[in-house]
Amino acid sequence: MPNIKSAKKRVKVIETKTLRNKAIKSDLKTAIKKANAAVEANENVDVAVATAIKKVDKACAKGVMHKNKAARKKSQLAKLANTAK
């Protein structure tokens, strides 16, 4: 446990950021799973994929995901949507 005031603050800030990042990642994973399920069921594919791509963009913008990984995920989702058609 830190003794210095600034170190104590860093611990609190990191804890807050970790919770925020976990929430964003969890939401992103759920959206991707829903997109995959929509493709499997062949229902509302465009809506589910568009939502997932939007979540990927937001995660990238907030620094939770690297831009190259975001581009790769978006490409995979678009490819998935095109194969469903």
Side-chain angles (χ1 to χ4, degrees), residues 16-82:
T16 306
K17 286 185 175 186
T18 302
L19 289 173
R20 174 180 158 268
N21 290 345
K22 273 187 183 179
I24 293 168
K25 281 183 187 178
S26 176
D27 199 28
L28 174 65
K29 287 178 187 178
T30 304
I32 291 172
K33 285 179 186 176
K34 282 183 181 178
N36 288 333
V39 169
E40 294 275 327
N42 207 8
E43 295 176 354
N44 296 329
V45 176
D46 292 334
V47 174
V49 170
T51 304
I53 287 175
K54 187 175 181 180
K55 301 269 184 191
V56 169
D57 280 335
K58 281 194 173 188
C60 180
K62 291 178 187 245
V64 176
M65 180 185 280
H66 192 272
K67 65 176 186 169
N68 289 352
K69 183 176 180 181
R72 188 172 67 242
K73 282 287 179 194
K74 286 167 55 176
S75 174
Q76 288 170 351
L77 286 166
K79 189 175 178 183
L80 194 69
N82 289 337

